[in-house]
Amino acid sequence: MDTRRDFLQKISLGIGATALTDLPASARELYAGPKADKQLRVALMGLGGYAGRVADAMKDCKMATLVGAVSGTPAKLETWKQKYNIPEKNTYNYETVSKIKDNPDIDIVYVTTPNSLHHKHVLQIAAAGKHVICEKPVADNAQQTREMIAACKKAGVKFYIGYRMHFEPHTRELIRMREAGELGKIMHVNNYMGFKSGDPNQWRLKKALAGGGAMMDVGIYALNGARYATGEEPVWVTAQETKTDPVKFKEVDETIMFQLGFPSGIVASCGTTYAFNNYERLYVIGEKGFVEISPAFGYGPIKGRSHLGPMNQPVVTHQTLQMDGIADIILNNKPDPNVTGEEGLKDMIVVDAVYESIRKGGAKIMLAGK
Ligand code: NAD
């Protein structure tokens, strides 16, 4: 078992010289001590499964407080008001949400609606002059993402993506080791993320609400992980799709293998699926060592090992660290982390290319100019 002292030490060690140099300041406070004087006041939009998880995780936050909610279902708003002590004046539905601009008690809205609604909802929140966090995948495609970035810029608000792994200790430690040169020159990455999808009637299997299938939903973890495992941006993409259940997955992709070519010449070999379980791993191999994190992208417990042995990083609630981390960045003017809208755009450009390659029979798609 990790002691709290170990935990704090490891968190601080795990940050290193990455863009998130200031995360420890908030992380150190996570499991001890009072709430900070300054609070980032958050409203959640789309009160489904993930919103509930974020709301529960925020109970342990030191710098972020849940104060508002947006839902089309009055009964859900009632439940949330009771459960999370949300005042009536901070509740909205999808028709009234633009009035949030007149509410000085809400700083940021976290959009957790189905994927294909993210574009519309982020534009609404930006127009209301509030900062915004948007769940992954940021949008249906790169073009929509560009529009969301432009809208936030025009409104002068911050735009973040819910890439919680960037706040997770094993992931931070991998990035630190790579940046410190402890792995040597990176030679190969092999990432995959998937699970067996259940209910055939869920919105995730409807193109109009999901934008795509496994690739959009969880393939994005393998892709984003390849970028932080290498520290490089891909220059080409190839992809192959297969379906073992073409009826269930009539509208969206079921299983995709994709390869990312990087400027250094290395290739990341990645996969994603909605067809089977036990498919969750990040594996990066360098000339001097390796890191294997598995499970690597789910809610955990995340486990990892390297050429040095077990990583022994603390097990944390990702969303607590994520929300405190974002609060610290906004409230204390810390440098923007690897979870900005621009980072979401980099991923969506690759997702577009994955689908383009599949449409073109596995063709190599060059990313320059995309
Ligand atoms: P969910 O179905 O549980 O919740 C979606 C919510 O959106 C529901 O409350 C639903 O009522 C509401 N909604 C609003 N308009 C809707 C419409 N037109 N059709 C259907 N629902 C509508 O889904 P979820 O699992 O909470 O996923 C929501 C978002 O969060 C997705 O973008 C998903 O990718 C993301 N997510 C992220 C993580 C993560 O670990 N970062 C995990 C799960 C989900």
Side-chain angles (χ1 to χ4, degrees):
M1 277 286 283
D2 285 300
T3 62
R4 176 172 293 161
R5 186 186 297 261
D6 286 342
F7 163 77
L8 298 176
Q9 194 182 15
K10 281 167 188 160
I11 285 277
S12 61
L13 285 173
I15 302 307
T18 65
L20 257 179
T21 43
D22 295 308
L23 178 60
S26 60
R28 242 182 236 125
E29 302 299 322
L30 264 180
Y31 296 120
K35 283 211 165 223
D37 289 341
K38 276 194 285 184
Q39 293 289 315
L40 185 73
R41 297 161 306 169
V42 181
L44 278 158
M45 181 171 189
L47 306 182
Y50 196 63
R53 187 175 285 274
V54 173
D56 288 342
M58 283 183 66
K59 288 179 185 166
D60 288 331
C61 280
K62 295 297 177 215
M63 288 195 209
T65 313
L66 177 62
V67 298
V70 183
S71 172
T73 312
K76 268 194 216 166
L77 285 173
E78 273 314 308
T79 308
W80 275 59
K81 278 197 298 191
Q82 306 291 328
K83 188 169 179 195
Y84 299 108
N85 204 17
I86 293 172
E88 167 73 27
K89 69 172 190 61
N90 288 356
T91 61
Y92 298 86
N93 62 38
Y94 294 105
E95 280 71 50
T96 61
V97 68
S98 60
K99 292 199 178 126
I100 212 164
K101 72 172 184 301
D102 303 319
N103 190 334
D105 299 329
I106 294 174
D107 302 312
I108 189 164
V109 177
Y110 193 160
V111 174
T112 54
T113 49
N115 308 345
S116 298
L117 302 175
H118 293 175
H119 176 252
K120 176 181 165 189
H121 289 156
V122 168
L123 295 193
Q124 279 179 321
I125 301 307
K130 300 293 178 184
H131 300 306
V132 55
I133 306 172
C134 177
E135 253 318 311
K136 46 58 48 184
V138 53
D140 286 350
N141 51 51
Q143 183 48 36
Q144 285 187 350
T145 312
R146 286 192 181 94
E147 290 164 12
M148 293 153 90
I149 292 170
C152 290
K153 207 173 235 172
K154 189 170 163 220
V157 298
K158 300 265 196 184
F159 179 29
Y160 296 115
I161 315 300
Y163 284 153
R164 61 185 158 72
M165 298 320 299
H166 285 268
F167 301 88
E168 191 282 322
H170 296 79
T171 308
R172 304 297 321 160
E173 174 64 359
L174 152 66
I175 295 170
R176 187 202 65 75
M177 288 173 77
R178 194 249 305 144
E179 289 183 341
E182 292 173 19
L183 301 178
K185 184 170 178 271
I186 302 301
M187 299 306 293
H188 185 62
V189 171
N190 181 204
N191 294 349
Y192 40 85
M193 174 60 168
F195 65 97
K196 187 169 172 56
S197 173
D199 179 7
N201 298 315
Q202 62 185 302
W203 64 259
R204 281 184 168 78
L205 305 189
K206 313 250 183 280
K207 183 143 173 49
L209 278 172
M215 183 66 218
M216 282 277 187
D217 189 17
V218 287
I220 204 114
Y221 286 101
L223 154 57
N224 191 261
R227 292 180 47 236
Y228 60 71
T230 57
E232 294 186 49
E233 296 302 335
V235 290
W236 60 257
V237 174
T238 51
Q240 309 80 37
E241 179 182 10
T242 182
K243 281 188 193 189
T244 61
D245 189 343
V247 176
K248 183 171 179 180
F249 300 102
K250 191 168 76 170
E251 294 188 29
V252 300
D253 46 285
E254 175 202 291
T255 301
I256 289 179
M257 299 295 138
F258 59 100
Q259 302 77 39
L260 310 175
F262 290 91
S264 61
I266 65 165
V267 173
S269 175
C270 302
T272 187
T273 190
Y274 267 165
F276 46 87
N277 290 324
N278 304 309
Y279 195 56
E280 185 183 338
R281 180 179 182 237
L282 179 152
Y283 190 24
V284 53
I285 303 160
E287 278 184 338
K288 290 202 244 166
F290 72 89
V291 169
E292 180 186 35
I293 308 181
S294 184
F297 307 114
Y299 304 138
I302 302 298
K303 289 191 183 131
R305 69 186 182 106
S306 76
H307 56 289
L308 302 172
M311 288 175 88
N312 282 333
Q313 293 294 315
V315 170
V316 298
T317 304
H318 304 172
Q319 296 83 1
T320 309
L321 282 172
Q322 174 198 343
M323 295 309 290
D324 260 345
I326 288 178
D328 191 24
I329 289 151
I330 293 178
L331 295 175
N332 299 320
N333 280 321
K334 300 285 175 68
D336 273 344
N338 296 329
V339 296
T340 56
E342 282 77 8
E343 294 297 316
L345 175 59
K346 286 175 190 168
D347 285 338
M348 289 316 299
I349 289 170
V350 177
V351 171
D352 283 355
V354 165
Y355 288 127
E356 185 184 349
S357 174
I358 289 165
R359 279 197 307 276
K360 293 178 176 169
K364 189 173 188 176
I365 308 299
M366 304 308 293
L367 294 174
K370 293 258 182 201

